[in-house]
């Protein structure tokens, strides 16, 4: 695996994207993390953990509408519950 390369590119792409792109990338990370947890692949979780707070902060700052924040909150609740 090349998590040491994938995660920085994922974060850089997220930072440069519009809100819709950022939200899509968070959903992608969510899918990767959930599948990694099911398979016991802690390296994926450990690779993403240091950048997730920054990713959420950047995405929340770009969200401008109530619908944006609702979508972001919905994803957050999914992560919290799992």
């Amino acid at each position: 695996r090349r998590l040491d390369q994938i995660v920085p590119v994922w974060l850089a792409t997220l930072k440069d994207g519009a809100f819709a792109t950022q939200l899509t990338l968070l959903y992608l990370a969510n899918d990767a993390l959930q599948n990694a947890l099911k398979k016991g692949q802690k390296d994926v979780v450990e690779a993403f953990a240091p950048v997730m707070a920054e990713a959420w902060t950047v995405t929340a700052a770009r969200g401008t509408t109530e619908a944006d924040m609702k979508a972001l909150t919905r994803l957050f609740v999914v992560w919290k519950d799992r």
Side-chain angles (χ1 to χ4, degrees):
R1 291 210 238 237
R2 303 221 180 256
L3 292 169
D4 59 328
Q5 295 173 345
I6 293 169
V7 173
V9 170
W10 173 85
L11 183 60
T13 304
L14 183 137
K15 287 180 176 180
D16 290 340
F19 179 81
T21 301
Q22 292 172 333
L23 188 61
T24 299
L25 288 169
L26 285 175
Y27 276 114
L28 176 64
N30 177 57
D31 187 55
L33 290 166
Q34 294 302 323
N35 284 312
L37 287 171
K38 287 179 189 175
K39 296 177 182 179
Q41 299 170 333
K42 293 183 180 181
D43 58 330
V44 176
V45 176
E46 291 168 358
F48 274 94
V51 301
M52 291 312 295
E54 182 178 1
W56 279 95
T57 301
V58 167
T59 304
R62 187 86 35 106
T64 57
T65 68
E66 187 175 326
D68 290 348
M69 298 317 290
K70 185 176 181 180
L72 190 57
T73 301
R74 188 172 345 133
L75 182 57
F76 184 76
V77 168
V78 167
W79 281 10
K80 187 179 110 181
D81 290 344
R82 293 184 183 172

